[in-house]
Amino acid sequence: MPQEARDNNRHIHLGAANSHHHHAYRYCSNRISTCKYNGFSFLPRFLYEQFRRYNNIFFLAIALLQQIPDVSPTGRYTTAVPFLIILSVSALKEIFEDVKRRRSDNKVNAFPVEILVDGQWVEKQWKDVKVGDFIRVDNDNLFPADLLLLASSEQQGMAYIETSNLDGETNLKIKQALDVTATMTSPEQLKTFQAEITCEAPSRHVNEFNGNIEINGTARHFGIDQLLLRGARLKNTAWVFGAVIYTGHDSKLLMNSKRAPLKSGTIDVQTNYRIIFLFFVLVALALISAAGSEIWRKGNIPQAWYLEFLENDPKGSFLWGVLTFFILYNNLIPISLQVTLEIVRFFQAIYINNDIEMYDVNSDSCAIARTSNLNEELGQVKFIMSDKTGTLTRNVMKFKRVSIGSRNYGNNEDDEFSDPKLLEDVEVGDEHSEAIIEVLKMMAVCHTVVPENKDGELIYQSSSPDEAALVRGAATQKVTFHTRQPQKVICNVFGEEETIEILDVIDFTSDRKRMSVVVKDKGEIKLYTKGADTVIFERLQNGSEQTIDYCTNHLEDYASFGYRTLCFAVRTLSDQEYSEWAPEYKKAVLAIENRAKLLAEAAEKLEKDMVLVGATAIEDKLQEWVPETIQALMAADIRVWMLTGDKRETAINIAHSCALCHPTTELLIVDKTTYEETYSKLEQFAARAIELERQEKEFAMVIDGKSLLHALTGEARKHFGDLALRCHAVVCCRMSPMQKAEVVEMVRKLAKHVVLAIGDGANDVAMIQAANVGIGISGEEGLQAASASDYAIPRFHFLRRLLLVHGAWNHDRSVKVILYSFYKNICLYIIELWFAIFSAWSGQTIFERWTIGMFNVIFTAWPPVVLGLFDHPVPADQIMKYPALYASFQNRAFSIGNFSLWIGMAIIHSLSLFFLTYATMEHQVVWDNGLTGGWLMLGNCAYTFVVATVCLKALLECDSWTWPVVVACVGSIGLWIVFVIIYALVFPHIGGIGADMAGMAYIMMSSWTFWLALLFIPLATLMWDLVIKSLFTIAMPTPRELAVMYNKRNTSFNGFERLASSWAANQGPTKDGAHVFSNRFSLRKRIQPVENSSLTKSSSPNGRTAKNGRQPEYGSTEMSTWNQNYREEDEELQREPRGGARGSYTNRAFVGDNNVTRIMVNADDESLQDPNGTTSYSSNVLENMRLLTSSLRGSAAGSSRSRTASEASLALAEQTRYGFAFSQDESAAVAQTELIRNVDSTREKPTGR
């Protein structure tokens, strides 16, 4: 038996004859599929999904029972035929949606890639890639499979890899080919290359890999540093050659994904429970009716000689009666409910797909609903789990500000650093000119960036986007780094070429938080050090206090804008000091034991008594409108968590930038490495969280991947879950894809709420599939995430409209469809119970059998559909401005009380309809010929009144009457009238169908009693609704009803608005004033006036501009500081006199609370001002909003939360409150020292062709 069959390792022959053919059969193809079904699995999976719904099981049982001869009073096929139609419609919808998934998969599978065929590069598709193939990947392209790096365009076989699509890390990673393959830089060399690879079997561990490659009888080990993973992207490298090791679903990326799950919505689960309840009601009614039949038989048959034959009839037994009545009442559970929901959901998905407000011009893409089964879930979200890189941020670093001494250069408005004063100070020889030059030199020298001159353009290749941003920033200020050679760099400094020798490099590590280089510049030896302020300040020379104070003030300013900061320090070394230190450091570098400790000790001897020369600020650009979106979602009572693979400092920095945390939010940081320590920390923080809740302080938890591994295990899991659910926000960093999924699953189980996951990368697929609702950010980076998602949107900020508008609407509409479907069926079919009282409990139907079957299919099919598609509970702009309405919809919609009210009204309506009809027809109608209408006259009249009542009920329940709603409801009544005429005239003559109905239309419609009753009975029945709805609206109005009433009273709203470009650019706010109340709805009755002119310039989310009057651009991280910057203005505002010019008025008390909702009312309205000039709410507005307050948030005391964190907790979180701009990969395949010492940018690169 060959070795391959005896072990679990993978054996791959490279370049061997017929090896590709051999591998193609042994290993899976590179074609991927995220579809739910295939040709073989469709039927079993579809049936499984359908029969998870209890109503489908019920109707299957009814259809089977009806096949028993003489047991069904309604015929054999009145349930089976509609049921098959419903299943067919559902099957077509599932097929249609799965075809869309397949098209998305085909798009990925058809990506182009170059494969080596007979010594030539041939362009093929990703799906054609096979294990053992040699492929070429060019710069900025994704890797189609897991590859062994063979060679690259760079020196020493290096390649820069962006893995943000895999692990969320923003820094580039350096991979390096083995020296035995790095020289193969042409297809001719690859053509003759042969080797055998033995490596581990496919696994999901993205940071672990081991294998051996045997070339000419010599084996070499290779590991994760030589593995290029599918989904990663080649950056700053012209090309690489790779050998395919894992393809398709064997790749590590897809091993971290799960099979597309069969998700069911919370509404479906609740509907199942309601159906179970109605099933037991049905059983009870059948038992009661069968018992009534037995009692009647025993009391009446002995006296009725003409019914003696029934005494010995086996079909008159109690069990037979139960079965008969069970079938008779089966339609209490609406058979059309699922197909109605399927139709409504399908068109709701089309609404989402065609919403122009969620169209992104830049990417020419729109929102896509990949499934419609979860539309209502969008309206019930309580937790959002968001990826960081590519979702919240653009991963674009821009150099923004620089601090030199007491000077703070740059501004916050321009896209990049722009301040001519910096160069002017250098030219005039200002007191800071030497420090400016020193900082610019350090920015251009102290890094691992490699320059490349391509077509006359200088391109910087770097594993750290922060370093590249600093180098580019220095170049814009006339200090241009353009050449790197072994042990030296060449820069153009203000027009002069300077060669700076690199003597030693002390690497950056996460423990050191700094990087140092020893350089020789113009014969002078200097130590250049850059790093976090906390480690730089403590290593400065004595007497630096004033410089530190200046720098600290500037750093706090930068941090308030969410910038990533670095401090720069320099120290001049004597030749003797360096010559004494260098051998000791070299010895530490070569040490095997205690190497890290020896390196740290050597570095400490040199990194001391330094001079602080400046600090820089780098902006990690956020996606458009991220802070505003997160604020709106939090105002809607949704918890937002950030789950990222990036490092802690960066994650915390972005959490502050995007308004997930505030500067005063207390951070509970869990960063332990053992289970015991993690458990103890969680236990400590759980007690601390209870104390903070009692003090009404905001707090957030930060936990890394290593601690999370223990936190999700054993008893620690409960502590972690309890603590996390209490937190205002949670930031999880350094997470693997499966850890993200585990966190999502934990929250789903513990919180029992709807969890939404959103991401753009392949590393987010697992959590997207694990969540109740998965959202993928569409675009090139997010193809994998979008393919596996339930909904795809082009930008994160579209999530706001998707949830607040489409989610709230869909949830409200679908619940109304479900309740209405229950109502109309109970209203009609419970009449059979009332009729049984007068029909000797015989099981005789009051209605003709086929009209019973067509009640749901034809005559009342359209009212619930139009309710689900055209009802607008609250206008879109209103709910966008007042996100708290989103939470109120959840509390109202499908509660047991609301369900009971609908069922109660259905029973009341059925009683009213039957007995009013019975009273009207009690003496029967006698025509001129002496004939009467019989029992069908009563049944058809009652049926007509039921159709009219339930259709008019739909109009009453609709919040917005549009022509489709009116046409559907009125048209359904007319449709029954037309149908009964045709049915009575034609069908009795076609095979005897409906023989009992022959002539019934004329009999019924020729009676004036019928027409008068048609006007009176439905209106009299619906009076119950008018009275009850009026009482509830007056005594216990819901927040939605208050919002509707408020909307009718006020035609203009400018609340928690999105910054519409036309509003910001053209007119500013309207002349209406601004009354502000927090997201906790704490209202202030007196509002101090503000000059109208101060607001007309406003274009910020809170109605303000930055102090320089400029509006921040898209993606700016400035949002978090506006509230802080304006606290001083608020203090001044409180001291202003109460009088003032009429015009625009605002309550500035919301400053400091980022979660704000603003109500605009017209300050020119005389009723809103008192004689002192102070603006007041009118009494009716105050009353309505007070009711809205109590309905949504309870007491308004919560709005006065203290936001001052304890000194101890601030001290704990001080060093991580904002990130320092250093994202160097400290465990790269090529050490920073080696890269600086050996790379030569002047060397010509191979073309690989």
Side-chain angles (χ1 to χ4, degrees):
M1 183 180 291
Q3 181 183 359
E4 292 91 328
R6 292 197 306 268
D7 59 37
N8 293 323
N9 293 330
R10 173 165 290 202
H11 299 269
I12 304 170
H13 303 280
L14 299 181
N18 298 323
S19 64
H20 296 175
H21 178 77
H22 180 56
H23 295 150
Y25 286 95
R26 293 185 58 203
Y27 306 124
C28 72
S29 73
N30 204 42
R31 183 190 296 270
I32 66 163
S33 174
T34 59
C35 298
K36 290 170 63 175
Y37 310 106
N38 58 40
F40 296 102
S41 69
F42 173 76
L43 189 60
R45 291 197 90 193
F46 170 73
L47 291 178
Y48 170 74
E49 185 169 8
Q50 291 301 312
F51 287 103
R52 288 194 301 175
R53 297 164 177 161
Y54 296 161
N55 61 329
N56 285 342
I57 297 175
F58 171 77
F59 288 117
L60 176 63
I62 293 295
L64 295 175
L65 288 175
Q66 284 183 330
Q67 306 312 306
I68 301 174
D70 299 327
V71 73
S72 173
T74 58
R76 300 180 64 181
Y77 304 108
T78 53
T79 299
V81 172
F83 185 53
L84 289 175
I85 293 174
I86 289 167
L87 287 181
S88 300
V89 171
S90 298
L92 290 174
K93 185 185 81 71
E94 289 293 313
I95 291 172
F96 178 80
E97 291 181 347
D98 215 47
V99 166
K100 291 194 294 184
R101 295 188 190 95
R102 191 171 299 278
R103 287 175 180 169
S104 180
D105 292 338
N106 291 339
K107 184 178 180 180
V108 175
N109 291 327
F111 280 175
V113 63
E114 291 185 275
I115 303 176
L116 189 69
V117 179
D118 298 328
Q120 300 292 327
W121 294 117
V122 178
E123 185 173 295
K124 294 188 177 183
Q125 296 180 342
W126 276 24
K127 64 183 179 182
D128 300 321
V129 173
K130 299 179 180 63
V131 172
D133 280 346
F134 294 125
I135 68 173
R136 172 192 169 111
V137 178
D138 291 331
N139 188 40
D140 282 331
N141 286 340
L142 296 168
F143 298 117
D146 290 352
L147 314 174
L148 167 64
L149 176 59
L150 298 176
S152 76
S153 60
E154 306 305 307
Q155 299 170 41
Q156 303 175 3
M158 291 191 306
Y160 294 94
I161 309 300
E162 182 185 77
T163 60
S164 60
N165 203 25
L166 296 173
D167 54 23
E169 291 198 31
T170 55
N171 59 294
L172 303 183
K173 293 180 172 60
I174 299 177
K175 302 288 185 178
Q176 185 175 27
L178 297 175
D179 54 0
V180 293
T181 63
T183 57
M184 295 188 301
T185 57
S186 68
E188 291 77 14
Q189 291 173 292
L190 278 183
K191 181 181 180 181
T192 59
F193 176 70
Q194 292 192 21
E196 182 170 336
I197 292 176
T198 302
C199 61
E200 62 187 39
S203 73
R204 71 183 196 182
H205 303 296
V206 295
N207 295 318
E208 299 175 9
F209 179 76
N210 287 292
N212 294 322
I213 182 169
E214 185 176 330
I215 305 173
N216 298 327
T218 304
R220 291 286 301 275
H221 176 269
F222 65 95
I224 196 67
D225 290 336
Q226 286 76 42
L227 191 66
L228 308 177
L229 299 181
R230 177 184 177 126
R233 184 182 296 275
L234 185 66
K235 300 291 287 186
N236 299 339
T237 307
W239 54 264
V240 296
F241 294 161
V244 180
I245 296 178
Y246 302 126
T247 51
H249 291 274
D250 283 345
S251 64
K252 291 183 178 292
L253 169 64
L254 287 151
M255 292 285 285
N256 275 278
S257 302
K258 298 180 180 179
R259 183 180 177 86
L262 295 175
K263 297 182 180 181
S264 59
T266 308
I267 292 293
D268 289 334
V269 175
Q270 293 176 323
T271 302
N272 279 342
Y273 292 141
R274 308 294 191 263
I275 288 173
I276 291 173
F277 168 76
L278 290 178
F279 173 79
F280 285 112
V281 170
L282 172 59
V283 171
L285 291 178
L287 291 172
I288 292 171
S289 298
S293 177
E294 286 294 306
I295 294 172
W296 189 91
R297 287 162 63 89
K298 290 179 180 178
N300 292 277
I301 288 181
Q303 286 77 33
W305 57 268
Y306 53 88
L307 296 176
E308 288 180 357
F309 69 94
L310 292 177
E311 286 189 279
N312 300 318
D313 187 0
K315 297 179 182 177
S317 66
F318 176 78
L319 291 178
W320 193 271
V322 170
L323 195 58
T324 298
F325 282 108
F326 186 80
I327 294 175
L328 180 64
Y329 299 146
N330 80 86
N331 284 296
L332 289 178
I333 299 173
I335 191 173
S336 64
L337 174 59
Q338 289 304 327
V339 73
T340 302
L341 276 178
E342 298 286 3
I343 294 171
V344 166
R345 288 166 172 169
F346 178 79
F347 285 100
Q348 285 175 349
I350 293 177
Y351 286 171
I352 294 174
N353 296 342
N354 291 277
D355 189 346
I356 194 65
E357 295 294 328
M358 293 194 291
Y359 170 75
D360 181 57
V361 177
N362 297 328
S363 61
D364 189 27
S365 55
C366 58
I368 300 173
R370 292 170 49 81
T371 181
S372 60
N373 292 337
L374 304 174
N375 291 346
E376 311 86 32
E377 297 291 271
L378 296 173
Q380 301 177 85
V381 174
K382 283 292 185 182
F383 290 87
I384 292 177
M385 307 294 176
S386 176
D387 177 43
K388 179 185 72 68
T389 308
T391 303
L392 300 178
T393 68
R394 306 182 196 177
N395 197 22
V396 175
M397 307 295 180
K398 295 294 182 70
F399 172 56
K400 294 280 287 188
R401 307 287 297 273
V402 61
S403 165
I404 309 288
S406 60
R407 305 278 174 84
N408 193 358
Y409 296 98
N411 59 66
N412 301 313
E413 289 71 45
D414 292 304
D415 188 44
E416 293 188 80
F417 181 86
S418 177
D419 192 344
K421 189 72 169 60
L422 182 75
L423 294 180
E424 290 174 6
D425 288 348
V426 174
E427 292 172 0
V428 300
D430 185 81
E431 58 177 323
H432 295 100
S433 59
E434 291 184 7
I436 293 173
I437 296 174
E438 203 72 77
V439 169
L440 293 176
K441 275 190 177 181
M442 292 179 71
M443 290 168 60
V445 172
C446 188
H447 53 73
T448 58
V449 177
V450 178
E452 178 184 358
N453 196 313
K454 188 174 183 179
D455 300 328
E457 181 183 359
L458 195 59
I459 299 174
Y460 294 116
Q461 302 173 359
S462 173
S463 63
S464 168
D466 307 277
E467 286 192 333
L470 289 175
V471 173
R472 288 193 297 268
T476 62
Q477 304 305 307
K478 298 186 178 180
V479 179
T480 306
F481 163 61
H482 58 77
T483 303
R484 181 183 291 282
Q485 292 178 333
Q487 295 292 105
K488 66 180 179 181
V489 297
I490 304 175
C491 301
N492 186 299
V493 182
F494 294 100
E496 296 182 4
E497 295 291 326
E498 289 190 15
T499 301
I500 301 174
E501 186 178 352
I502 308 294
L503 301 178
D504 278 297
V505 180
I506 306 176
D507 290 349
F508 164 84
T509 67
S510 55
D511 292 330
R512 283 171 39 79
K513 296 183 180 178
R514 62 191 183 278
M515 172 188 179
S516 296
V517 294
V518 181
V519 302
K520 193 169 186 178
D521 182 15
K522 298 179 180 178
E524 191 174 28
I525 299 176
K526 294 180 180 179
L527 172 71
Y528 284 162
T529 302
K530 66 178 181 180
D533 55 328
T534 53
V535 297
I536 296 295
F537 288 170
E538 63 189 21
R539 289 168 173 80
L540 299 179
Q541 64 184 9
N542 294 331
S544 302
E545 290 77 10
Q546 186 175 16
T547 307
I548 292 175
D549 288 342
Y550 287 137
C551 188
T552 300
N553 290 333
H554 296 161
L555 288 175
E556 288 179 354
D557 181 35
Y558 301 159
S560 68
F561 285 87
Y563 297 154
R564 304 169 67 165
T565 60
L566 276 179
C567 290
F568 291 81
V570 65
R571 181 185 173 206
T572 302
L573 305 176
S574 64
D575 292 344
Q576 180 181 357
E577 183 180 7
Y578 175 71
S579 61
E580 292 175 356
W581 176 84
E584 181 181 352
Y585 181 67
K586 184 176 181 180
K587 182 179 179 181
V589 170
L590 299 175
I592 297 176
E593 296 183 357
N594 298 323
R595 182 174 183 270
K597 180 181 178 182
L598 294 173
L599 285 172
E601 291 175 352
E604 288 292 345
K605 292 181 180 179
L606 205 64
E607 295 171 337
K608 62 181 182 180
D609 299 329
M610 296 184 291
V611 177
L612 180 65
V613 291
T616 59
I618 292 175
E619 181 180 22
D620 188 356
K621 283 286 188 182
L622 295 177
Q623 296 283 357
E624 300 169 357
W625 309 118
V626 166
E628 296 87 340
T629 301
I630 288 180
Q631 286 179 323
L633 294 174
M634 286 183 166
D637 198 24
I638 299 175
R639 302 283 184 89
V640 183
W641 292 23
M642 181 196 296
L643 311 182
T644 178
D646 217 336
K647 64 183 182 179
R648 186 177 67 191
E649 291 81 3
T650 305
I652 294 175
N653 166 247
I654 297 301
H656 282 91
S657 300
C658 66
L660 191 60
C661 299
H662 307 301
T664 52
T665 300
E666 181 166 340
L667 299 181
L668 308 179
I669 300 175
V670 184
D671 56 355
K672 302 303 179 183
T673 56
T674 66
Y675 179 82
E676 291 75 16
E677 291 176 328
T678 303
Y679 182 85
S680 175
K681 198 74 170 178
L682 290 172
E683 200 171 31
Q684 172 190 342
F685 281 156
R688 176 63 178 160
I690 295 174
E691 179 186 346
L692 290 171
E693 281 187 335
R694 188 167 56 250
Q695 298 173 2
E696 295 185 329
K697 293 182 179 178
E698 285 188 357
F699 56 96
M701 180 169 63
V702 180
I703 186 169
D704 61 23
K706 291 182 179 179
S707 299
L708 191 63
L709 184 66
H710 302 303
L712 293 173
T713 307
E715 295 180 4
R717 185 183 182 92
K718 183 178 184 301
H719 283 297
F720 172 65
D722 292 343
L723 174 61
L725 296 182
R726 291 177 182 272
C727 288
H728 173 75
V730 177
V731 177
C732 301
C733 49
R734 292 292 189 186
M735 299 182 73
S736 68
M738 291 309 296
Q739 281 183 319
K740 291 184 176 183
E742 289 172 4
V743 168
V744 170
E745 289 172 350
M746 180 206 71
V747 175
R748 285 186 62 181
K749 291 177 181 177
L750 293 180
K752 304 295 184 183
H753 287 302
V754 176
V755 179
L756 180 147
I758 180 170
D760 76 314
N763 63 313
D764 304 315
V765 169
M767 76 168 180
I768 284 174
Q769 292 180 335
N772 297 88
V773 183
I775 308 291
I777 304 295
S778 57
E780 190 175 9
E781 291 289 342
L783 282 175
Q784 189 71 27
S787 297
S789 65
D790 304 306
Y791 301 88
I793 54 177
R795 292 287 183 269
F796 177 82
H797 71 86
F798 291 142
L799 183 64
R800 179 180 173 187
R801 183 173 179 86
L802 183 66
L803 296 188
L804 301 188
V805 177
H806 291 283
W809 280 0
N810 292 342
H811 180 230
D812 190 80
R813 290 166 171 175
S814 296
V815 167
K816 197 174 288 185
V817 168
I818 295 169
L819 293 174
Y820 179 79
S821 296
F822 284 135
Y823 156 80
K824 67 186 179 69
N825 273 47
I826 292 173
C827 185
L828 177 73
Y829 296 111
I830 206 72
I831 289 177
E832 298 281 6
L833 175 63
W834 315 136
F835 181 67
I837 299 173
F838 298 91
S839 61
W841 302 97
S842 61
Q844 171 65 43
T845 61
I846 186 175
F847 309 118
E848 196 274 332
R849 65 175 58 182
W850 282 106
T851 59
I852 293 175
M854 287 182 284
F855 178 76
N856 287 304
V857 177
I858 299 178
F859 308 125
T860 60
W862 288 109
V865 171
V866 294
L867 273 179
L869 295 179
F870 299 104
D871 187 23
H872 291 91
V874 176
D877 59 343
Q878 186 174 348
I879 197 169
M880 287 285 281
K881 294 163 188 172
Y882 308 122
L885 289 171
Y886 178 86
S888 73
F889 275 36
Q890 297 175 348
N891 299 332
R892 169 194 180 277
F894 209 19
S895 63
I896 294 176
N898 202 22
F899 174 75
S900 302
L901 178 62
W902 278 81
I903 300 304
M905 292 305 302
I907 295 173
I908 291 173
H909 284 188
S910 69
L911 285 167
S912 175
L913 288 165
F914 175 76
F915 285 103
L916 286 176
T917 306
Y918 187 86
T920 304
M921 303 292 172
E922 183 177 7
H923 299 291
Q924 299 200 38
V925 177
V926 180
W927 282 264
D928 294 338
N929 57 10
L931 298 177
T932 60
W935 64 274
L936 268 182
M937 177 67 180
L938 174 66
N940 287 334
C941 288
Y943 192 96
T944 305
F945 304 153
V946 170
V947 171
T949 301
V950 298
C951 289
L952 294 176
K953 167 75 170 176
L955 284 176
L956 281 181
E957 293 299 326
C958 189
D959 292 298
S960 53
W961 285 12
T962 56
W963 70 264
V965 175
V966 175
V967 168
C969 294
V970 177
S972 294
I973 302 173
L975 185 62
W976 158 248
I977 299 295
V978 173
F979 172 83
V980 74
I981 294 173
I982 297 173
Y983 188 42
L985 290 175
V986 178
F987 280 84
H989 306 290
I990 304 176
I993 299 175
D996 293 335
M997 287 289 290
M1000 287 305 302
Y1002 172 78
I1003 293 174
M1004 181 177 68
M1005 295 182 189
S1006 63
S1007 168
W1008 284 105
T1009 304
F1010 165 76
W1011 292 108
L1012 291 173
L1014 181 60
L1015 293 175
F1016 169 73
I1017 293 178
L1019 295 178
T1021 301
L1022 290 173
M1023 285 300 296
W1024 290 95
D1025 290 73
L1026 293 174
V1027 171
I1028 291 175
K1029 286 176 74 72
S1030 298
L1031 289 175
F1032 272 96
T1033 303
I1034 295 170
M1036 295 180 292
T1038 65
R1040 187 181 75 164
E1041 289 164 347
L1042 289 174
V1044 171
M1045 290 189 294
Y1046 191 79
N1047 184 51
K1048 291 177 180 178
R1049 291 194 183 103
N1050 302 271
T1051 58
S1052 176
F1053 286 90
N1054 286 298
F1056 199 123
E1057 73 280 1
R1058 180 175 170 224
L1059 296 182
S1061 57
S1062 61
W1063 180 84
N1066 300 328
Q1067 67 199 46
T1070 64
K1071 67 177 181 179
D1072 294 343
H1075 290 323
V1076 184
F1077 63 100
S1078 73
N1079 70 314
R1080 300 174 186 85
F1081 289 86
S1082 60
L1083 301 177
R1084 297 180 60 134
K1085 195 165 184 178
R1086 300 292 181 182
I1087 301 168
Q1088 297 296 333
V1090 184
E1091 290 297 331
N1092 193 35
S1093 59
S1094 67
L1095 282 177
T1096 55
K1097 299 176 182 178
S1098 171
S1099 58
S1100 68
N1102 51 14
R1104 307 176 184 190
T1105 59
K1107 289 187 177 182
N1108 51 20
R1110 299 195 53 164
Q1111 176 195 352
E1113 62 164 278
Y1114 270 137
S1116 173
T1117 55
E1118 297 171 27
M1119 177 70 184
S1120 60
T1121 62
W1122 290 339
N1123 292 329
Q1124 182 177 356
N1125 290 344
Y1126 282 97
R1127 285 177 182 166
E1128 295 178 3
E1129 294 183 17
D1130 283 0
E1131 293 173 1
E1132 296 175 4
L1133 196 60
Q1134 301 302 321
R1135 293 192 293 268
E1136 289 183 4
R1138 287 182 177 260
R1142 287 176 46 158
S1144 187
Y1145 297 83
T1146 181
N1147 178 359
R1148 308 282 276 241
F1150 76 99
V1151 175
D1153 188 347
N1154 285 312
N1155 302 324
V1156 294
T1157 303
R1158 298 173 12 185
I1159 291 185
M1160 295 291 193
V1161 294
N1162 194 343
D1164 290 325
D1165 189 345
E1166 293 290 339
S1167 66
L1168 298 181
Q1169 298 191 26
D1170 64 15
N1172 296 325
T1174 304
T1175 304
S1176 307
Y1177 286 105
S1178 61
S1179 59
N1180 59 342
V1181 174
L1182 274 177
E1183 182 62 26
N1184 286 341
M1185 296 317 300
R1186 190 176 296 111
L1187 291 170
L1188 183 59
T1189 302
S1190 61
S1191 300
L1192 293 182
R1193 299 291 183 184
S1195 173
S1199 63
S1200 58
R1201 284 188 178 182
S1202 169
R1203 296 180 177 272
T1204 305
S1206 66
E1207 293 183 5
S1209 63
L1210 287 178
L1212 172 67
E1214 179 62 29
Q1215 61 178 337
T1216 54
R1217 189 170 67 85
Y1218 53 89
F1220 56 92
F1222 219 127
S1223 53
Q1224 187 63 260
D1225 186 6
E1226 54 190 280
S1227 58
V1230 181
Q1232 302 161 37
T1233 306
E1234 293 302 314
L1235 187 136
I1236 291 175
R1237 287 177 175 171
N1238 299 315
V1239 170
D1240 185 356
S1241 63
T1242 61
R1243 177 180 153 191
E1244 186 177 351
K1245 295 183 179 181
T1247 63
R1249 299 289 183 183

